[in-house]
Amino acid sequence: MLSVALVGGLHSDARRAAVDRLLADVPGSVALHHDLATAPETGTVARTVRDATGVLSTGETPLVNDCACCALREDLVPELERFRDSGLTRLAVVELWDSVEPRAMAEVVAKAGFRIGAVVTAVDPALLLPYLGNGDDLADVGLAAAATDRRTVADTWARQLEYAPVLAVVESPEAGGEDRALLDQLHPTALRIPVEGGGLAAAVFAGFDVEAAAAAQHPACALLPQEADDHGVGTYVWRHHRPFHPERLWAALEDLTCAAARSRGRFYLADRPDTLLAWDAAGGALCVESAGPWLASLPDAAWEMVPPLRRAAAALDWHPEHGDRCQHLVFTSPGLDRDGLAELLGSCLLTDAEYAAGRESWKGLGSDFDHLLEV
């Protein structure tokens, strides 16, 4: 039976090394790679298929809707079907192009009925912080997957890193204890495998549940990092049940965003207490989005339509007054100022007097969040 492993990441040399290791260690394996680099100029995406001995075939597929990633999706499944039908391929390694995010491709592959053995992100520890701190648009560095691609290097890299349960880590003489501590704290639950150690082959057959991975990415139940401090790198977990004052939080956003290399979590505002908001910051840029309602705001009958993981996460966070509503923000960075963050975040909460005034009075606490969340 054909198994598919997705290997991605912006660290292209590390990614290529991980794929080469799999081809060398797994008999009957092939690697499929779609190169999107020249797609805007040529109107096509270049495809390469290789095994441990070298290139087996090359080809091109045209852009779809002026989108290189769309072309990749259209071409990927027929190629995997060809491998499966031949009966000669044990493992198909899909080497994702630089800025392609693994979640989208994993869902395409799973929907087509293929077994995904693993999703892997390749990492060079020495490049971890430089990429995480890079706020450049992908379009400005030639890595956009479509003309409408507005992602940045930092937020793309963060999602690639945090989605994959397996990290293939290359040896890097330039990497120090700080780099390794940062990697450990950003994704503490990941299985980290040295590419040079030969253990990657076993990991790519373990199995990957696309639906469970998607559920675990939801801001309400994402498994966020815990408190840590090592080699000058810190992770600070800030939690509270009192609502944020929208105007004061808005005024503090720039300072909070720049306080850490990476921050994420969930929160809520006093003027919209039923809306779960997602916090996602990297590279000096912050994305705030509505992630739907808190479960405490739903009627009991609606709970049956909520995934079990979400209900379990809510139960763990349940407060007798606020339900699952909470502020849960996590900041990870070298040189983290925990005391400064605690003071700033605390100043953004409702004061005792504001809180005592009650929900009806909170509804009038409008801010620029109103415009942001209605776009």
Side-chain angles (χ1 to χ4, degrees), residues 144-197:
T148 56
D149 196 341
R150 296 293 181 266
R151 295 173 298 156
T152 69
V153 172
D155 63 40
T156 301
W157 170 237
R159 283 190 294 271
Q160 289 176 335
L161 181 72
E162 293 158 2
Y163 180 76
V166 179
L167 302 180
V169 184
V170 297
E171 290 184 4
S172 180
E174 295 82 13
E178 177 184 281
D179 301 303
R180 295 183 178 87
L182 181 60
L183 181 59
D184 290 345
Q185 293 181 36
L186 286 171
H187 197 347
T189 63
L191 177 63
R192 292 178 287 283
I193 301 177
V195 171
E196 295 79 5

Side-chain angles (χ1 to χ4, degrees), residues 32-190:
L32 171 64
H33 178 59
H34 290 83
D35 191 335
L36 280 56
T38 60
E41 293 78 30
T42 65
T44 59
V45 173
R47 179 202 327 115
T48 303
V49 178
R50 62 189 179 97
D51 64 8
T53 67
V55 175
L56 300 176
S57 68
T58 60
E60 294 180 339
T61 185
L63 289 182
V64 176
N65 300 324
D66 198 32
C67 171
C69 267
C70 299
L72 190 163
R73 293 188 186 98
E74 291 290 322
D75 194 64
L76 177 60
V77 170
E79 286 296 305
L80 292 177
E81 290 173 341
R82 183 170 64 84
F83 296 148
R84 180 186 60 195
D85 295 344
S86 74
L88 301 175
T89 304
R90 178 187 177 202
L91 175 68
V93 182
V94 178
E95 181 189 352
L96 301 175
W97 187 67
D98 297 43
S99 68
V100 174
E101 296 186 27
R103 176 174 176 174
M105 292 303 109
E107 291 175 353
V108 167
V109 172
K111 186 177 181 180
F114 293 95
R115 178 187 185 274
I116 300 179
V119 173
V120 180
T121 293
V123 182
D124 180 340
L127 299 178
L128 179 58
L129 186 57
Y131 276 61
L132 197 61
N134 189 339
D136 291 343
D137 290 342
L138 292 175
D140 293 338
V141 294
L143 294 176
T148 56
D149 196 341
R150 296 293 181 266
R151 295 173 298 156
T152 69
V153 172
D155 63 40
T156 301
W157 170 237
R159 283 190 294 271
Q160 289 176 335
L161 181 72
E162 293 158 2
Y163 180 76
V166 179
L167 302 180
V169 184
V170 297
E171 290 184 4
S172 180
E174 295 82 13
E178 177 184 281
D179 301 303
R180 295 183 178 87
L182 181 60
L183 181 59
D184 290 345
Q185 293 181 36
L186 286 171
H187 197 347
T189 63

Side-chain angles (χ1 to χ4, degrees), residues 113-289:
F114 293 95
R115 178 187 185 274
I116 300 179
V119 173
V120 180
T121 293
V123 182
D124 180 340
L127 299 178
L128 179 58
L129 186 57
Y131 276 61
L132 197 61
N134 189 339
D136 291 343
D137 290 342
L138 292 175
D140 293 338
V141 294
L143 294 176
T148 56
D149 196 341
R150 296 293 181 266
R151 295 173 298 156
T152 69
V153 172
D155 63 40
T156 301
W157 170 237
R159 283 190 294 271
Q160 289 176 335
L161 181 72
E162 293 158 2
Y163 180 76
V166 179
L167 302 180
V169 184
V170 297
E171 290 184 4
S172 180
E174 295 82 13
E178 177 184 281
D179 301 303
R180 295 183 178 87
L182 181 60
L183 181 59
D184 290 345
Q185 293 181 36
L186 286 171
H187 197 347
T189 63
L191 177 63
R192 292 178 287 283
I193 301 177
V195 171
E196 295 79 5
L200 196 56
V204 296
F205 289 100
F208 179 82
D209 188 327
V210 170
E211 291 186 2
Q217 293 295 303
H218 192 284
C221 41
L223 191 61
L224 299 174
Q226 301 297 306
E227 286 273 351
D229 195 350
D230 185 29
H231 284 86
V233 178
T235 293
Y236 175 58
V237 179
W238 188 82
R239 301 179 67 112
H240 212 288
H241 283 283
R242 183 172 292 194
F244 277 125
H245 188 292
E247 289 183 349
R248 289 199 293 274
L249 181 61
W250 181 268
L253 286 184
E254 183 175 354
D255 289 338
L256 291 171
T257 301
C258 296
R262 176 72 170 135
S263 58
R264 51 191 169 129
R266 52 189 177 269
F267 69 103
Y268 76 110
L269 302 172
D271 62 325
R272 52 182 79 221
D274 293 336
T275 303
L276 190 162
L277 298 173
W279 176 290
D280 195 324
L286 170 67
C287 176
V288 171
E289 292 181 322

